[in-house]
Amino acid sequence: MLWPPARADADTGYDAWLRYAQLTPIERAKYNALPASVNVLGDSALLQTSQTELIRGVRGMLGRTLRSEQGPPTEDSILLTTIDRLRTVALSSQAPRSLEPGGYWIGHAAIHGHDCLIIAGAGAHGALYGTFDLLRRIALDQDVSRLRVTEQPSAPVRWVNQWDNLDGRIERGYGGRSIFFDNGSVRADLSRAGDYARLLASVGINGCVVNNVNATPKILSANFIPQLARIADAFRPWGVKLAISINLATPEALGQLDTFDPLDPNVISWWNQKVDEIYRQIPDFGGFLVKADSEGKPGPSRYGRTPADAANMLAAALKPHGGVLLYRAFVYNSHLDWHDLKADRAKAAYDIFHPLDGKFAGNVIIQIKNGPIDFQVREPASPLFGGLQKTNQAIELQITQEYTGQQRHLVFLVPMWKTTLDFDMHVDGRYTPVKDIVTGRSFHHPLGGFAGVSNVGLDLNWLGNPMALANLYGFGRLAWNPNLSSAAIVDEWTRLTFGNDADVVRTIDSMQLTSWRTYEDYTGPLGAGTLTDILGSHYGPGVGSAEHNGWGQWFRADHLGVGMDRTVATGTGFIGQYSPEVQKQYETLQATPDNLLLFFHHVPYTYKLHSGQTVIQYIYDSHYEGVDRVKQYVRDWKSLRGRVDEQRYAFVLGRLKYQVGHSIVWRDAVCTWFYRMSGIPDSRGRVDHYPDRTEAESMQLQGYAPVDVVPPEDASGGKAVVCNTAGQTCAARFQFERPAGWYELDVQYFDLNDGASTFKVFVGKQLVGEWIADDDLPNWRIGGDTSTRREIPGLALRSGDEIRIEGTPNGGEPAPFDYVSIHKTGP
Ligand code: GCV
């Protein structure tokens, strides 16, 4: 087969879905009738932003520079305005009379005899969103000549949260250091903050909490607020409000009071003054986000006060300025008693917040994670969504892939989010899907919405992987309209990011849409949660780490069975927090969907799923299927060579190949762990049986020494070899004893983040592979986080060949490796 020539152009991913890449001549011709000028009617800075953006986009995609005009059109024009101003020049336009803030109308009308394409916002924000809408339609190659569109956002709060620390590190951030902070201060150069706001505005996001919910009091010190004001300045042209996370103990921690009791008059007055100080410098400040009484953070419980006491005190200070107070429901006891079969972390949010329903002020919003635990690969909807009928709510979704592969694994999260958003809580027997609850529709609340933990960083591609941007895009689009389908969202994103080539679009759409299920298949079966090292990085496998501790992410496996019994009848009673209709879906084994079985029930390994498979065989099979699907992604992606710019092509290919290796690490760790625990072998003979492998510890070692790996299932055979002879090269050799043919040789090694060892592979005297282990994986230890695969394809091997691995340590990394796997690829 002839490959198309590689595209010479390179794309760093910086422009994400706003590339405005030139359309093909045929596509461009569709827009020949577009007016030649763009007029702004109105005096908002956002209208000027809209105009500049429209000119930029049209120039990029169509190669034409629109004339920039102010005031009513004097020729055929694109008019950017607000609905109110539109009425002063075109009384007869079809624009609706009232729209939610941020809403817009796009349509055609004659103004003073000129044919105009009008983008009219309910306010200037709406005009900006409408501008991005028009540009999106052009990029998607849609006909805009007879456009008539009315759009309005689903909810007023469409915010992202950044977990940035003031020193520049980002908690659970995988795209580089903070774009806002460095070394304890706000960065001098905030151009990235402005560009981020542009990306956010393009999908309708209107607020950004810039610092970690694990907040330092310092953010509120007098000399920091002017620095925050500079970030607000960078956001303002894009209509994005600045908000911050606060530490409830700040009045005490900054040394000004000896208490932070929310009912203490001095504390109340401290916060009032502080909020006034903020608004003097940032008049459009959005509000506060609070994490309290959670994971060691101070909270109202210190003084016997409730979350409502704390939230209402802060909300009262913000109210005169129009600010809102988001209070997180992620409050739980992280020192639960593992021996107590009734203890259940999942119950905490409902137990704490449901009794307070109706006690929160009107500008308080309770921010609730989608599931009752913590952003696991699959969880049911949090019962709290149905438990707060008299309280504003926002759903917290995690764009940054903390428990879902940390942007090294391809995982498109929109289908997962939609599972929660579309879930009917059946409150009072009514249709009350989570999306209608958080947008305020179900219980008639004007406030509420969406918070997405995004954690972009200084990496040029923002999230560390251009494919992961689909999640940021998807979050914004869902926050705007949670009724959009995953397929529609990804299709837009792919076209905007990679162009309209049908093969490219079909291939990437399908990879993205299947990727969550794929990841779930090799990391967290049947609702058990992501079986990662919950005490460390939350990245690689660490199956047993969730058990026998106070964190409560238990799945209670023993040698007979697995799963948390959360039933009302015999378990923790968690299911009783749902409405009777939802209880019926989960209380019995018969009704519970397979994919949440272990979240709700404890069953024997031999229990038969609805699919007919036993639980244990499902665990084995799904892990093998997941790996096979990742291998297919590599083949799919390779079919796009030459159709995607070389820079992103090579980057994504590297990531997908890495994912193949790491999915095998996951598969083997989880399957081995459950095999050891259950004693039930894989009916297909794969688990713990790897005929293609030669363990490093069984090779002839020169300088290398075997070590035990902890936990043992994170390495093949539970052991690796390390080269601890400083400054020297170690070697491990074995003889190949299989028939002659073409083979691929894979080396499973450990890439620790405190060194960059060199590896060389020889067949006889011939060097066939060489690399440096210089990746920055989240660990300095040998284990599931760092286990990495190097493939050396296309080797003609003969029986009797000596295969030698040479490792040269560097820094703290002793050139460790696990095994060599050799499989036949041709005759
Ligand atoms: C910001 C999880 C994460 C923490 C995070 C916390 C939260 O526990 O691992 O890093 O803290 O959630 O959402 O507050």
Side-chain angles (χ1 to χ4, degrees):
M1 174 179 178
L2 273 183
W3 291 109
R7 282 172 56 163
D9 51 339
D11 190 322
T12 60
Y14 189 74
D15 289 324
W17 56 84
L18 294 180
R19 293 162 69 235
Y20 300 141
Q22 187 157 90
L23 300 183
T24 64
I26 295 174
E27 288 169 342
R28 283 205 301 271
K30 209 179 261 174
Y31 305 100
N32 280 347
L34 210 63
S37 62
V38 49
N39 285 57
V40 162
L41 186 61
D43 44 19
S44 160
L46 289 182
L47 290 173
Q48 302 303 330
T49 305
S50 309
Q51 187 182 44
T52 310
E53 189 67 21
L54 193 68
I55 292 170
R56 175 178 177 173
V58 168
R59 189 191 291 133
M61 292 187 284
L62 306 180
R64 285 184 245 158
T65 301
L66 299 174
R67 291 170 63 88
S68 160
E69 305 284 355
Q70 304 293 321
T74 53
E75 59 177 317
D76 292 358
S77 178
I78 303 174
L79 179 65
L80 300 175
T81 187
T82 59
I83 290 183
D84 286 350
R85 287 303 296 269
L86 179 62
R87 295 207 190 291
T88 65
V89 289
L91 273 176
S92 62
S93 88
Q94 316 264 324
R97 298 222 155 255
S98 79
L99 280 177
E100 294 294 330
Y104 56 87
W105 175 79
I106 308 179
H108 290 265
I111 298 179
H112 305 319
H114 306 297
D115 195 8
C116 291
L117 171 56
I118 298 161
I119 303 177
H125 277 79
L128 180 61
Y129 301 146
T131 300
F132 279 116
D133 181 329
L134 179 67
L135 288 168
R136 180 162 59 232
R137 287 169 198 271
I138 296 174
L140 297 176
D141 189 26
Q142 293 175 3
D143 183 5
V144 298
S145 60
R146 277 177 297 276
L147 208 56
R148 190 184 300 170
V149 176
T150 302
E151 281 275 338
Q152 47 191 348
S154 73
V157 174
R158 304 179 306 278
W159 288 16
V160 286
N161 295 177
Q162 290 275 143
W163 289 352
D164 297 27
N165 296 317
L166 306 195
D167 65 4
R169 288 175 305 148
I170 304 182
E171 182 158 349
R172 314 297 176 188
Y174 313 107
R177 288 172 63 78
S178 171
I179 62 172
F180 304 117
F181 309 113
D182 189 30
N183 203 17
S185 305
V186 170
R187 287 183 180 282
D189 177 3
L190 286 173
S191 50
R192 289 291 298 262
D195 289 348
Y196 184 34
R198 172 173 169 256
L199 280 180
L200 297 178
S202 74
V203 284
I205 294 171
N206 59 357
C208 176
V209 178
V210 290
N211 65 310
N212 195 346
V213 285
N214 293 324
T216 166
K218 185 182 162 186
I219 191 117
L220 285 176
S221 56
N223 68 358
F224 212 87
I225 295 172
Q227 301 186 45
L228 291 174
R230 290 182 36 243
I231 306 181
D233 292 345
F235 285 173
R236 195 165 294 112
W238 302 98
V240 175
K241 282 188 176 181
L242 174 105
I244 58 169
S245 300
I246 56 119
N247 182 314
L248 208 67
T250 306
E252 184 189 65
L254 284 185
Q256 285 146 344
L257 298 179
D258 57 8
T259 175
F260 62 91
D261 179 352
L263 299 191
D264 182 291
N266 291 327
V267 173
I268 295 172
S269 124
W270 188 93
W271 281 107
N272 285 340
Q273 286 174 38
K274 189 50 81 177
V275 168
D276 290 348
E277 185 185 340
I278 295 173
Y279 277 94
R280 273 197 298 279
Q281 299 175 62
I282 311 172
D284 53 358
F285 181 69
F288 293 148
L289 173 62
V290 182
K291 173 177 179 177
D293 284 323
S294 169
E295 302 185 329
K297 294 289 148 288
S301 69
R302 172 89 63 94
Y303 303 97
R305 312 297 187 202
T306 68
D309 294 330
N312 292 345
M313 180 269 296
L314 295 165
L318 290 159
K319 190 164 181 223
H321 307 279
V324 295
L325 190 278
L326 287 125
Y327 199 101
R328 296 177 89 222
F330 187 63
V331 181
Y332 69 100
N333 172 5
S334 46
H335 303 282
L336 285 177
D337 178 7
W338 149 265
H339 298 102
D340 178 0
L341 293 179
K342 297 287 175 194
D344 190 355
R345 167 170 165 183
K347 287 167 72 177
Y350 188 95
D351 280 350
I352 295 167
F353 286 85
H354 171 66
L356 299 173
D357 191 23
K359 300 210 163 72
F360 291 98
N363 60 331
V364 173
I365 301 166
I366 302 302
Q367 184 165 311
I368 308 169
K369 289 190 183 186
N370 57 296
I373 299 285
D374 188 8
F375 299 137
Q376 301 299 290
V377 66
R378 187 181 291 271
E379 292 184 49
S382 169
L384 187 57
F385 292 119
L388 295 178
Q389 300 190 29
K390 300 182 211 116
T391 306
N392 301 316
Q393 305 185 33
I395 186 169
E396 182 175 311
L397 301 168
Q398 202 184 37
I399 297 160
T400 190
Q401 296 171 230
E402 176 183 353
Y403 281 98
T404 49
Q406 305 192 352
Q407 277 101 285
R408 288 175 184 272
H409 293 234
L410 176 77
V411 185
F412 179 54
L413 293 163
V414 167
M416 170 168 132
W417 298 337
K418 279 198 69 77
T419 307
T420 304
L421 289 167
D422 291 345
F423 186 79
D424 185 356
M425 302 299 292
H426 289 279
V427 178
D428 296 335
R430 287 194 294 131
Y431 172 65
T432 46
V434 172
K435 61 189 170 194
D436 286 359
I437 294 176
V438 298
T439 53
R441 265 175 199 67
S442 293
F443 306 126
H444 313 291
H445 295 301
L447 257 187
F450 296 78
V453 181
S454 46
N455 291 358
V456 304
L458 279 178
D459 280 8
L460 273 183
N461 62 31
W462 300 96
L463 282 172
N465 185 341
M467 299 295 266
L469 269 283
N471 290 324
L472 182 56
Y473 182 84
F475 169 78
R477 296 292 286 140
L478 274 185
W480 183 272
N481 178 3
N483 293 317
L484 290 173
S485 71
S486 301
I489 291 173
V490 83
D491 197 63
E492 283 179 12
W493 174 82
T494 304
R495 290 170 187 275
L496 297 172
T497 306
F498 290 104
N500 290 314
D501 176 326
D503 288 337
V504 172
V505 173
R506 195 177 339 102
T507 305
I508 298 180
D509 282 6
S510 143
M511 288 169 65
Q512 292 275 26
L513 285 170
T514 54
S515 60
W516 168 43
R517 173 65 196 268
T518 298
Y519 183 80
E520 178 185 27
D521 275 350
Y522 61 77
T523 60
L526 304 170
T530 312
L531 299 174
T532 187
D533 177 6
I534 71 140
L535 305 173
S537 62
H538 301 180
Y539 179 57
V543 188
S545 69
E547 307 268 66
H548 303 280
N549 58 44
W551 289 96
Q553 288 188 217
W554 311 320
F555 53 93
R556 293 205 181 277
D558 58 24
H559 66 288
L560 293 175
V562 56
M564 274 289 283
D565 182 355
R566 292 188 157 107
T567 60
V568 176
T570 56
T572 68
F574 166 78
I575 293 173
Q577 295 183 339
Y578 291 103
S579 64
E581 287 82 354
V582 175
Q583 290 183 31
K584 271 190 218 130
Q585 295 171 33
Y586 295 144
E587 178 72 13
T588 63
L589 281 167
Q590 293 72 22
T592 306
D594 286 348
N595 57 26
L596 283 171
L597 178 71
L598 304 183
F599 191 91
F600 289 116
H601 299 279
H602 185 83
V603 292
Y605 292 107
T606 49
Y607 175 80
K608 284 224 169 104
L609 301 171
H610 297 301
S611 68
Q613 265 167 309
T614 61
V615 164
I616 191 70
Q617 195 55 41
Y618 178 88
I619 292 176
Y620 298 148
D621 288 353
S622 59
H623 282 74
Y624 277 83
E625 281 160 23
V627 169
D628 288 347
R629 240 172 289 126
V630 185
K631 288 181 179 164
Q632 184 59 40
Y633 293 157
V634 171
R635 291 191 285 273
D636 293 347
W637 186 256
K638 281 183 172 167
S639 76
L640 302 184
R641 186 167 166 229
R643 291 164 180 259
V644 168
D645 63 282
E646 193 55 28
Q647 190 169 2
R648 286 184 300 172
Y649 173 80
F651 184 93
V652 174
L653 180 60
R655 281 291 161 104
L656 290 171
K657 283 181 167 177
Y658 166 83
Q659 189 180 348
V660 171
H662 203 226
S663 65
I664 292 172
V665 175
W666 264 100
R667 179 195 74 192
D668 293 350
V670 175
C671 290
T672 306
W673 194 92
F674 278 101
Y675 173 43
R676 301 258 155 82
M677 186 58 88
S678 68
I680 302 174
D682 168 21
S683 67
R684 295 171 64 185
R686 299 156 299 186
V687 175
D688 220 23
H689 178 66
Y690 311 105
D692 287 348
R693 286 186 193 172
T694 306
E695 297 294 340
E697 59 275 16
S698 72
M699 296 178 192
Q700 223 181 307
L701 303 179
Q702 216 179 345
Y704 266 121
V707 287
D708 290 331
V709 172
V710 183
E713 68 275 5
D714 281 8
S716 195
K719 288 185 192 304
V721 297
V722 292
C723 177
N724 273 330
T725 41
Q728 276 184 30
T729 295
C730 298
R733 69 186 83 214
F734 65 100
Q735 250 189 17
F736 178 76
E737 277 157 359
R738 282 154 63 185
W742 289 102
Y743 289 87
E744 176 179 302
L745 182 154
D746 303 329
V747 179
Q748 197 72 32
Y749 65 103
F750 299 91
D751 195 336
L752 318 188
N753 62 13
D754 61 350
S757 313
T758 303
F759 289 93
K760 289 183 180 170
V761 179
F762 295 86
V763 175
K765 291 197 170 61
Q766 192 181 1
L767 178 69
V768 295
E770 178 176 6
W771 69 97
I772 296 174
D774 58 358
D775 204 342
D776 194 21
L777 292 159
N779 216 323
W780 50 270
R781 280 187 312 210
I782 295 171
D785 285 346
T786 50
S787 187
T788 308
R789 172 165 291 228
R790 178 75 176 197
E791 295 174 358
I792 307 173
L795 294 182
L797 298 181
R798 307 281 179 262
S799 181
D801 280 346
E802 182 191 80
I803 296 181
R804 193 168 84 257
I805 319 297
E806 281 186 10
T808 310
N810 172 272
E813 186 182 74
F817 77 98
D818 188 359
Y819 64 85
V820 168
S821 170
I822 301 178
H823 65 268
K824 199 146 196 232
T825 52

